[in-house]
């Protein structure tokens, strides 16, 4: 299937400070492209991959699982580490969950983590029904475009394939046990109103990580896809300031200044 317009992966060769951005479940790079552009314009090297099964048709997602999604961001992180002196990982929703596992697994290979409305659990009775329901029903209604800003829209699927949702549930359970391995500085931004991921997920993550340098920001004007919503500029500036504080310069020619 061809990639949907705007859902293409994005890479920008900048300085020696790199950022890996991870999009969410059933979404695409389009939801994070303004964030990527913002950081690229300020001299950072940016990688925004398209996760397997995403950005085309929901039937492609049905054939993938968390191992595929994580392998893609893991590969991109390793490429960034070869290119950059300092590397940060960031993500929205499931992308935040992927970023957290990268931090847990790569240790000093990740200099900091930024997550926006990170997901930690599949909630409700549907979560318990998934192991059986996925064999009876192929899809359920989509979760894309939970945005308060009028006229803004997310390029994502209008259906959620249940095989993929079941895999996502398994991933969340795995990650929850690995969160104490996250020790890097953490910036967590979450919306006051979110119709996809409840605030309990952010609270759980904050209670489980071992990071000592933690900043929590509440986004008052946005729903789930806050990177396309009223608080988008705040997310971009807060994350840039976070990176600039931790990596103002690495003292080499061609290095971006992000302070």
């Amino acid at each position: 299937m061809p990639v949907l317009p705007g859902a293409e992966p994005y890479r920008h060769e900048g300085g020696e400070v790199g950022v890996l951005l991870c999009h969410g479940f059933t979404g695409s790079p389009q939801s994070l492209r303004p964030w990527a552009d913002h950081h690229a314009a300020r001299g950072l090297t940016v990688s925004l991959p398209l996760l397997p099964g995403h950005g085309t048709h929901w039937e492609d997602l049905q054939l993938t699982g968390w191992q595929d999604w994580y392998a893609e961001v893991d590969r991109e992180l390793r490429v960034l580490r070869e290119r950059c002196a300092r590397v940060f990982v960031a993500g929205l929703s499931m992308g935040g969950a992927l970023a957290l596992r990268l931090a847990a697994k790569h240790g000093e290979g990740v200099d900091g983590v930024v997550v926006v409305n990170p997901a930690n659990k599949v909630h409700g009775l549907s979560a318990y029904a998934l192991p059986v329901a996925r064999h009876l029903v192929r899809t359920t209604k989509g979760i894309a475009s939970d945005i308060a800003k009028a006229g803004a829209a997310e390029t994502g699927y209008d259906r959620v394939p249940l095989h993929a949702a079941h895999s996502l549930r398994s991933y969340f359970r795995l990650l929850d046990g690995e969160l104490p391995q996250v020790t890097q500085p953490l910036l967590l931004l979450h919306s006051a109103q979110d119709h996809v991921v409840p605030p309990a997920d952010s609270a759980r993550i904050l209670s489980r990580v071992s990071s000592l340098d933690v900043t929590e920001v509440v986004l008052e004007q946005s729903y789930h896809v806050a990177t396309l919503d009223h608080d988008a500029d705040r997310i971009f500036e807060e994350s840039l300031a976070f990176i600039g504080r931790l990596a103002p310069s690495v003292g080499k020619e061609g290095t971006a200044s992000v302070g």
Side-chain angles (χ1 to χ4, degrees), residues 63-142:
L63 302 176
T64 66
W66 74 262
Q67 295 91 342
D68 303 299
W69 315 324
Y70 181 76
E72 180 67 17
V73 296
D74 184 81
R75 184 187 67 80
E76 288 293 326
L77 175 61
R78 294 175 190 276
V79 172
L80 273 182
R81 287 303 311 178
E82 293 177 357
R83 166 69 176 80
C84 300
R86 306 290 294 275
V87 174
F88 296 81
V89 295
L92 167 69
S93 193
M94 179 189 76
L98 293 172
L100 287 164
R101 187 166 200 255
L102 288 173
K105 291 299 183 182
H106 285 265
E108 294 181 355
V110 170
D111 292 283
V113 187
V114 182
V115 291
V116 179
N117 291 324
N120 179 251
K121 185 178 181 181
V122 176
H123 294 268
L125 293 176
S126 60
Y128 299 97
L130 272 175
V132 174
R134 66 193 177 106
H135 297 293
L136 304 174
V137 181
R138 297 184 73 191
T139 69
T140 188
K141 64 179 181 179

Side-chain angles (χ1 to χ4, degrees), residues 19 50 56 77 85 157 185 220:
V19 182
L50 173 63
T56 54
L77 175 61
Y157 297 151
E220 299 287 353

